[in-house]
Structure formats: structure tokens, C-alpha cells
Amino acid sequence: MRYSDLPFEILEHVSDYLSTNDKRSCSLTCKGWRYPFQKALWRYIRVKSYSGVQKLIRSIKKSQYVSTTYGLSVYSLRIYGSYLGIKTSDIEFSELFKHLPNLRCLHLELITYKRIYTDITSSDKIWTSLETLKIQWEYSSFEQEKINFFECIKACRMLQELEIRRGLRNELLYFSMNDFDNMPNNLKNLSSISVYINHNHDFLPTLDTIPNTAPVFSVASLNINWDEIRSSRNESWNIWSPLWLYYLGYKYPNLRSLRLNIKPPRMRVLNRDNSERTISLLRSNQNAFRHMETLDLIRDQDLELSKCILLELFIPLRVPLRHLTLDPGPLGDLNSSYSMDVIKVLESFSRTLQSFSARGFQLNLRDKDPSFKLYSYYPLLTNLCINNIDVYLDFGQLLDRCVALKELQFCAGTLVINPNTTTETSKQQQHGLQILTLRKCSGFIYEKTGCLLLNMPHTFLKTLTIGHIQYVPPYERTNVYNQSRLTLLSQLNDFPSSEDIGERKRNETDSEHHVLTSHRIAWIYTYYTFGPFENGRVKTTRLSKSGADIAFKYFQNFPPKCFFQTLEHKSLYDEEFDDMTRACELHKGYGQFKFGKIESVHVVK
């Protein structure tokens, strides 16, 4: 069979894996390929200006007189670009959507729904096949506009995903409890909602009616955003109430994913006078969040909301969390007076947790021990991200507890390697780790070997991402001048070319020296650079071949005797680093990460 005779169904399936340029090329190959690949090109349309909208309408109108009607092929339409000051034509937008009967995804970016959905378009009953709608809100002081919005989405009977964003002038549509209740009842397929909510909603008048709230069983995902509102006196009056969780537990009993994005928080989560009553209400609904699998808590800088949800609600209700993200934001914005017992949280979900990410806040660790130690086994945990300063990660202990771990990210902390479990002669355990990221980490060099050794010969990495790593002697934890910034990456199971065999044999001559018992992949060096108009920056690079050879020879006879005498005035790292001598760097030691195999290495510069 010739390529031009391939069935339409196969060509259409192939087009799903091609870029836009490849689809264009295929459509020009032959007559048999023209229609399926042209149809694929029309499936996803992006328009970035009002003139582009007009051009799109003209193209669709022209196609009505040929065998291929382009409008029938459009499944996704994204309209973006600034429309401020442009008097858009209601009739043209009405015509556009009338000719897109199969439109499933509509994304209006930097253009509000009021410029699209008008009296003219609403009378045409458009968007009847729409499954995903992402729109922006245009502020109006009239409550009638909110009613019109609900009428707007009422026609979207097939809608599955709804996202309401900020308007062009930073306007917001705040959802109250009543707004959730007033969502159109005919949206039987709606499974995902992303909105901004009114945290200042007064629950007290309707508190007794919440258990009788009409449940919506189709919604499985909620993305709740909260923006602080401040008065002219710079006082915050938009205060989060934990009773939102009380209401959502009844409203969406099949909720599987909850994301709370708070920026920035100024809140009083639990008042001392009514805290016991509030906690009692939160726990009274034993069926709340019974199906919750994913929880993302974003920008909770004081950790009050996170502790309220996890410690006061999810743990007592035994919510079966599988994916948990705690991200209070940049380190500089963190309120250091607050902390959380992350180990307790992890232990509470040890039997169900599959991924956990903790970034940027103080970890309340037990017994004032800075080591991040797990006391339970995590048979399902496959993805772990720890990004915290002042945290010590016991690498071997972690992997032994997380036997199913596939991906690990460790940033900004201290890497602890137990020399008794990572030496060449120790009993090695096979781990399934495949993706490892180490950034802005430090570790302790052992005086006897001049090296920090992470020896994992039975671990086969697909990807290693590394950068900004430094090492210090155990008795010099704060002296930056004694920090080593050299890292050797090596593997045992390599497949050298014929010209490398001789060098490999020469390298494998002495089993007592860690450098010589494996195949060298690269020497990584972290250094500080100062520009004429900037502060110092930390960068990481690979050593050149000559620099790597010098480092290898130096540590081959560790501890060195007279080696410094020939290196005092020479550069170790090419000409761009000629302000650093070999002596001032090499004598500080190095770190070595040895694995069975590393398929690819990415150096964070």
C-alpha cells in the first residue's frame, strides 16, 4: 500500500502527534492527504487580534461553498490579545459561533465574555456542544450582570470545565454560597470549577441550613482563589472562614481535587471564642471529602489554613489523600514564626499517599532534630519534593522507607549520607529511583577520604538534574571559605567506545579510591561570578576535559603530598575562571554521586 492510500482514520490519528508545521507540510503532500491534515489544522484555532477574528469568519464563510466546511472541524478556539477601546461587532461574533457547531473548548484570554456573549449571540443558542469554557469577568455594580452570566452558561448543557478569571481591569467575580447554589441545574456534566470566592460571606444566618444543601454529585475538582481586599486604611476585611469547608463538604460530596490559592493571606482562621464549635461542625459531616485524592494549598504563608484543613479536618476524617502539595510561596515572604509538623501529616496519609511536595516553609521536626526522617513505610509514594532551608535529608533512610519512589527533588537543604551504608563494601539495596533533582544543596565531606560519597550502584537513573551544590567539612559548617564546590558524577554500568576502553582499564586500577572504581561522566563545578553592574551570582558548569583530568589525578593519591607545588599559579577551569587556582579549590575536597547508570544529566546553570 502506498502512503497516499492510507485510510483516513489512520491519517487523522497520525495528525494528533504532529506539530502545526508538520501538518501543513502533510496537507500539501498529495490529494489523499489534503483533507485529513487540513481538518487537523482547523481542529485547534488561535486568534490574537480582532482583525484575526474577522479573517477567521471570512475563511469559514468561503469554505461553505466547497466540499470541506472548516467550521465543522473546529474543536478548540482561543481568542487572546487586548480588546480595550475596540468596538467589536455583535453580529460578527454571532456569525462566528453559529458556524462552529462542534466547538468543545473556548478560551477567552484578555477579552471578557460580555464582548462575546450578547443579546444577539444568546438568541442563537450557541455553545451547545461546549465542554470547556475559560472566560474573564468584566466588572459591573449591578447584580443583574451576575444573573446574565448564569444565563450565559445555561445553554452549555455539555459543559464539563468552567474557569472564571480576572477581567481586563483586574475585575473579579466573587462567588458566594448563594452563587454556588444558583449554578444552572441543567449542567449535569460539570465536573471542574475554578473561581474566586467571597471569603467575607456571612454563614451565620444560613448555618443550620447547610446540611440540607442540595448536593451536586458531578463536580470532582474545585480551584478556589482568594484575593485579599484592603480598605483605604490598609485594613484587610476579606477574611477567610473555615465554614467554607463545612459548606463544600455537603455541596460536593464526590469532590476528588481541591486547590486553594491564597494571595496574600491576612486571615483569622479560628477565633478562640468559637474555635471548638467550628471544629465540631467541620467534623460533624463524616461523609465530607470521602473521595478526596488531591489537595493543593498555595500561598498559605502563615500556614494557618493548611493546619486547619489537615490537622483539624482531613486527618480526623481519615481522608484518603493521594497527592498533597504545600507551597506557601517564596522564602522571603514566609512568616518564620509559623511551622507545621510535616512528619505527622505524612504519617497520617502513609498508606495512600502517592506524591508529596513541600516548598519554602519551616518544618516542625521532632525532638529538634533537623533531619527529615520518615518513621513509617510509604508503599505507594512515587514522587517527593522537599524544598526547604535548614532541613537535613537522610538519603539512605528516605529511600528505604519509600520503596516505590520514582522521582525525588531536594532543594535548598543539607544532604546527609551515612558513610556506614554507602561505602563500597556495604550491602547495597536496589531502589527504583529514576528521576533525581539536587539544587542549592550542601553536604559534609568526610576528613578521611576528602569526599562525600553517595554510592548507589543498583540505582539506574533516567534523568539527573544538578546544580549549585557545595560541601564543607563537618567541623566547618558556617565558613563559606572552606566550602568545596566540586562534584563528580560517575556510573558503573557504562558502554564505552573502543577508544575509551584503554582509558577505562587505566582508571580501574585501585579499588580503594572511589574515583577509580567507576566510569566518570562529568566533573561539575559551582562558582560565584560578579558582573560590573550586578551582585554576585551562583552558577554551575562542567569542567573541561583538561580540568577534569587534573582533578582526577589530584584525588587519585588522596591525601596529596606535594601536588600543590605544581598547581599554585595555574587555572583549573579554562580561561574564564583564571582568578581561581587549582590549589585553592582542590584541597577542599569534593562530592561524588555514583549510580549504576545515568542516561542523561542536566546541569542547572
Side-chain angles (χ1 to χ4, degrees), residues 67-195:
S67 58
T68 304
T69 302
Y70 295 147
L72 296 176
S73 302
V74 179
Y75 289 170
S76 176
L77 174 63
R78 178 185 173 192
I79 303 178
Y80 59 103
S82 178
Y83 282 68
L84 287 173
I86 299 178
K87 295 183 178 180
T88 56
S89 171
D90 298 341
I91 298 177
E92 287 185 348
F93 277 118
S94 176
E95 289 180 338
L96 172 61
F97 291 115
K98 279 196 303 184
H99 292 103
L100 304 177
N102 296 324
L103 187 64
R104 299 177 185 176
C105 178
L106 177 61
H107 184 183
L108 304 178
E109 184 177 338
L110 298 180
I111 176 172
T112 63
Y113 89 98
K114 289 179 63 177
R115 292 178 177 264
I116 297 292
Y117 198 90
T118 61
D119 293 338
I120 297 176
T121 54
S122 61
S123 64
D124 292 326
K125 297 185 183 304
I126 63 173
W127 302 353
T128 56
S129 62
L130 208 61
E131 297 176 357
T132 300
L133 177 60
K134 299 180 181 181
I135 62 176
Q136 290 184 320
W137 181 254
E138 189 168 351
Y139 175 76
S140 175
S141 60
F142 299 99
E143 187 67 20
Q144 183 64 33
E145 292 299 331
K146 187 180 293 186
I147 298 176
N148 291 340
F149 166 74
F150 287 123
E151 289 296 323
C152 158
I153 63 175
K154 191 174 182 179
C156 310
R157 297 186 177 183
M158 304 299 293
L159 193 65
Q160 299 178 15
E161 180 182 356
L162 174 63
E163 180 177 343
I164 306 175
R165 300 180 174 181
R166 295 174 177 270
L168 294 171
R169 298 178 179 88
N170 213 29
E171 308 96 335
L172 289 173
L173 170 62
Y174 287 106
F175 263 56
S176 65
M177 188 184 78
N178 295 333
D179 293 325
F180 283 106
D181 287 336
N182 292 332
M183 291 283 285
N185 294 326
N186 64 325
L187 303 181
K188 303 297 184 181
N189 298 318
L190 187 62
S191 61
S192 176
I193 302 175
S194 178
V195 293

Side-chain angles (χ1 to χ4, degrees), residues 15 117 136 143 200 212 228 255 308 359 393 453 506:
S15 66
Y117 198 90
Q136 290 184 320
E143 187 67 20
N200 216 36
N212 299 321
E228 178 190 38
L255 200 63
C308 173
R359 298 175 182 270
L393 180 66
L453 174 64
R506 290 192 298 270

Side-chain angles (χ1 to χ4, degrees), residues 524-537:
I524 308 299
Y525 176 63
T526 295
Y527 62 99
Y528 294 89
T529 179
F530 297 88
F533 304 104
E534 64 180 7
N535 295 326
R537 296 177 56 193

Side-chain angles (χ1 to χ4, degrees), residues 246-283:
Y246 180 56
Y247 167 73
L248 295 176
Y250 282 102
K251 186 65 178 178
Y252 304 112
N254 289 333
L255 200 63
R256 285 171 167 77
S257 175
L258 177 61
R259 185 177 190 269
L260 296 179
N261 186 7
I262 306 164
K263 43 183 182 183
R266 295 291 188 273
M267 56 188 166
R268 297 185 297 270
V269 176
L270 294 177
N271 187 285
R272 292 182 179 179
D273 297 333
N274 59 10
S275 59
E276 292 184 2
R277 183 194 178 194
T278 302
I279 293 174
S280 177
L281 284 172
L282 292 175
R283 298 177 183 177

Side-chain angles (χ1 to χ4, degrees), residues 586-600:
L586 292 177
H587 77 281
K588 299 177 182 179
Y590 69 104
Q592 182 181 5
F593 299 142
K594 182 190 300 184
F595 298 92
K597 179 70 176 179
I598 308 177
E599 294 185 9
S600 63

